Amino acid sequence: KKQLNTNYNGYSDNYNYQDIAITASEFTPVKDHTKDELLENITYTISALIHVAFPQRIISNKATSLFDGYYSRTAHIGSERMTVTFENSSGVLPSGIYPRRLFSYISKAIVTSRAKQPVIQLPRSKSQFLREALGIDYTPSKSDMATINKHIQAFCECLLSISYSNPNDKARKPRDRINFFANDCAWLYDDSQDWKRELILTEDLFELIRYSAVPISARALSTFTNARKLDIFNYFTYQNYNLQLKKMDYVFEIEELFNLFAGDIAELKEFRRSLRNIL
């Protein structure tokens, strides 16, 4: 097994940013069952969202563009680049832990069933759907439901774009402002409408999941409530797995991590402290 260790050279208020490195290295196998469960119980997402996840709950102007309803980041993968963009004309982007859980719920349904059609069967009731898809294991109040429905609506209305410097016609096929769902899905967030048992994905999203799904920790997804913590955990477990396959170490520049995971943190110095706490 591998573990990510941190190498902080002279941590102080006057540190040199260039001295920060995160590397993969050998370590003694973990005996803590909780940590084992984080790695053994899996669900799925797509590889693009490992590098550029949904926006976090609060997005500063530094982390996104200067107008609402648009969030875009470019990730460097070796010598190549990938840009992921989320858009919503209403100005409300899916953010926080719920869209991450919902997207993984959809991805897992497609991967584990080996679906040949972009159709997902849903639980018999919305309350059961909220438990299974969003991890809501309590009875929400009226105000809670209004917030939850707002998150679901933002997810349903989101347009996703993915571009690559080295595209192909499978896992790296460019996607331009694709919807997630092919049918009207207002009933997912409008409680005045009858609940339905079937959800139809767009062909673009169906292809994207089939060609680029990767495993992530289901335990982390269900227990972590901090979106940044989950994104960083998913990113480094994914990177560490690939480094292990290639039998190599890699230095992650703090500025690149800041670019991908800072969210509402405007200063690099503050992000470094947050990153240390999360690690």
Side-chain angles (χ1 to χ4, degrees), residues 80-192:
E80 305 296 343
R81 299 180 310 281
M82 176 185 66
T83 300
V84 180
T85 303
F86 304 92
E87 298 178 65
N88 187 352
S89 59
S90 74
V92 181
L93 290 174
S95 61
I97 203 70
Y98 289 150
R100 289 158 170 79
R101 290 176 178 173
L102 182 51
F103 197 93
S104 289
Y105 176 84
I106 293 168
S107 300
K108 184 176 182 179
I110 295 299
V111 172
T112 58
S113 67
R114 298 183 180 180
K116 299 188 184 307
Q117 299 296 327
V119 179
I120 294 177
Q121 300 301 320
L122 298 181
R124 67 180 66 183
S125 67
K126 182 170 182 176
S127 60
Q128 187 176 351
F129 168 77
L130 294 180
R131 284 194 300 273
E132 295 182 11
L134 302 185
I136 298 173
D137 56 0
Y138 67 96
T139 301
S141 65
K142 185 176 181 179
S143 61
D144 287 343
M145 273 311 310
T147 300
I148 292 167
N149 284 333
K150 185 176 180 180
H151 279 286
I152 297 174
Q153 182 176 2
F155 185 91
C156 292
E157 295 176 349
C158 181
L159 299 176
L160 174 67
S161 299
I162 309 175
S163 63
Y164 305 88
S165 60
N166 59 336
N168 60 25
D169 60 355
K170 290 273 179 107
R172 297 192 305 275
K173 180 179 179 180
R175 309 287 172 173
D176 184 28
R177 305 181 80 242
I178 68 171
N179 291 101
F180 293 150
F181 304 124
N183 56 339
D184 179 10
C185 57
W187 49 272
L188 280 171
Y189 54 84
D190 184 354
D191 293 335
S192 67

Side-chain angles (χ1 to χ4, degrees), residues 11-26:
Y11 177 75
S12 66
D13 288 340
N14 61 349
Y15 51 77
N16 182 345
Y17 293 122
Q18 302 304 320
D19 287 340
I20 307 301
I22 299 175
T23 64
S25 59
E26 298 290 350

Side-chain angles (χ1 to χ4, degrees), residues 61 65-71 88-93:
N61 286 343
S65 75
L66 296 177
F67 60 93
D68 293 334
Y70 183 92
Y71 174 71
N88 187 352
S89 59
S90 74
V92 181
L93 290 174

